[in-house]
Amino acid sequence: MCGIVTAIATRNVVPILIEGLRRLEYRGYDSAGLAVLGEEGEDCGKLVRLRACGRVARLADLAEARQLSSSLGIAHTRWATHGAPSEGNAHPHVSEDVAVVHNGIIENFEALRAALRARGYVFVSDTDTEAVAHLIHDKLRGTGDLLEAVRLAVAELEGAYALGVISASDPARAVVVRCGAPLLLGIGDDGSYAASDAAALLQVTRKVVYLEEGDLAELCRDGYRIVRANGSTVERAVHISSLAADAVELGPYRHFMQKEIFEQPEALANTLGLVTGGSAVSPQYFGTEAEEVFSGARRVQILACGTSYHAGLVARYWLEGLAGLPCAVDIASEYRYRKPVASSDTLVVAVSQSGETADTLAALKYAHSLGMTRTLAICNVPESAIVREAALHFITRAGPEIGVASTKAFTTQLAAFALLTMALAKLGGKLAPATEEHHLEALRHLPVAVRKVLELEPEIAQWAQHFASKEHALFLGRGQHWPIAMEGALKLKEISYIHAEAYAAGELKHGPLALVDERMPVIAVSPADELLEKLKSNLQEVRARGGELYVFADPGGEIGGSGNVHILRMPEHYGMLSPVLHIVPLQLLAYHVALVRGTDVDKPRNLAKSVTVE
């Protein structure tokens, strides 16, 4: 959701800014822009701003046509919040000689606009960001120092935001701020950089500094300085990013989503690397203090959004069934606004691919405020806000996930929850040695099992040819596969724009069955488990109404295909970990249906990868 790139160097930074935006395209956006300090001809010493609706490629064409060159600049991809997607609302926003890019939401922008209008400022956009530009300009008139002006301005801002600021009156530096939205610095040999994501800066450096909440940073060509809100200087550790430059490249794949679906065996192997050579599960996977934290836990509260929420719903079946712990799963944006019954013996698990999901972070902080300090983050990004907020963490080693529709992040979250369940069950005396070994062996084999499922892609692609003309679909599942049906429906509507809903199959006759006719396809997740006979009865209800069934069945599931019943057999039944396997064909179905329909697979309309605003 939105992307910031800031650069000041001893070379032309325009290509760096544009390439950085390209590497942030996965976050979702509707317009792009940049502002640089002109260094030649009539632009010398002036701010030059270029903005365009649509893709970064359009902005790149504008910069090339103008032969733009500068050693100081800021750039941005915008996902509309305040004001429609338009060139006039695109970032950067300027106030005379000040230019600002902004991620997040300024909650008090209306009061700021009123006060700034009273001081003579004229607003030409619908955004909250323009108020920030005018406010910084107003402070700069009084101080003459860009860093001080930004520090004074952010003291008046309410909300969550990250900022990048330059001024023609101060050509030797840029200023960035982090307050509730992700931002990091890149330390290069020829300059200083900042971005929303390390992926944007791999082109120039792997040395990164993760800004803490409330940090302001002054970037110069020969170094940087970080200060706090009171103006005091602080030091932050320099990290070497583990991302490889080619990790955010497509390679031989048509889309990032396809690439990431097929990376799942490797992602699972990397995530489960701790257990592949071990003979026993250990709480130490989750941190040195995990055993003490887990031992006192009598219940579990999972907080997440979207796909991560579905992972939590699967985990509830595991935690209650194997570990014997009561488990509640809440959508983070709802949890933070209700009054839960708090208990200090609750293990609070926050789940997020990016670790910057605003609602999940706020819900975790809310749980802390209620006295629930036994906290664990399951996340794909080290040093992210949620990881730093939690007492314990488990990093899923999925690698960068660029496609907006999450795939490998989901399956690695399930792997993390499987390990958590086993660790809690063992500490609670509910995991017999033979059962522990059985589950460990299943985890070791999981990457191979997923690779076998991926071999079903040609059959799924054939299904997609028939499925793509539909406008509605129902997904059914039972038990731990009901959340898999929910995730499958989410994938389909995210990237194909087919309206899809998921139900626990037993609920079919309590309302959804009214929708079933020959035009309504029904997708069923049908593992060979203890609920199979119940599910088969539900499928007969669909057949009796003329509905068309697409069934993902395990071997020996005894479901016959004929006429309007299509069966795809999974390579093997996988017990407790079956949800990890059954989601893969649903991901592939959504992907191939989207291909047939010609939608933008990696960047579906109206959506963003990292939701850093409420």
Side-chain angles (χ1 to χ4, degrees), residues 166-240:
I166 62 172
S167 173
S169 67
D170 197 343
R173 57 182 169 170
V175 175
V176 298
V177 183
R178 175 185 177 158
C179 183
L183 199 67
L184 54 87
L185 307 184
I187 312 306
D189 294 332
D190 59 356
S192 301
Y193 307 88
S196 306
D197 190 314
L201 302 181
L202 291 177
Q203 54 175 315
V204 289
T205 184
R206 291 180 60 208
K207 295 180 181 179
V208 298
V209 174
Y210 295 97
L211 296 180
E212 297 287 342
E213 192 78 357
D215 281 352
L216 297 86
E218 175 186 64
L219 308 181
C220 302
R221 291 175 180 84
D222 59 355
Y224 66 96
R225 180 167 67 103
I226 301 173
V227 302
R228 297 295 292 165
N230 62 6
S232 61
T233 300
V234 294
E235 298 291 332
R236 303 291 183 216
V238 177
H239 300 264
I240 304 300

Side-chain angles (χ1 to χ4, degrees), residues 239 271 274 282-291 293-294 347-352 355 364 368 373-397 416-417 419-420:
H239 300 264
T271 299
L274 291 169
S282 170
Q284 299 300 310
Y285 301 154
F286 301 89
T288 56
E289 299 177 358
E291 185 168 354
V293 172
F294 289 172
L347 174 65
V348 178
V349 184
V351 193
S352 167
L364 178 59
H368 275 159
T373 58
R374 301 176 188 273
T375 55
L376 166 67
I378 295 177
C379 180
N380 193 39
V381 182
E383 300 295 335
S384 59
I386 290 173
V387 169
R388 292 198 300 271
E389 181 71 22
L392 305 172
H393 66 264
F394 184 94
I395 304 302
T396 57
R397 304 191 183 280
F417 270 125
L419 290 176
L420 176 63

Side-chain angles (χ1 to χ4, degrees), residues 398-410:
E401 190 177 65
I402 306 301
V404 167
S406 180
T407 52
K408 61 179 179 176
F410 178 70

Side-chain angles (χ1 to χ4, degrees), residues 312-328:
L313 291 175
V314 174
R316 178 171 62 189
Y317 286 91
W318 296 346
L319 289 161
E320 294 187 345
L322 185 64
L325 291 173
C327 179

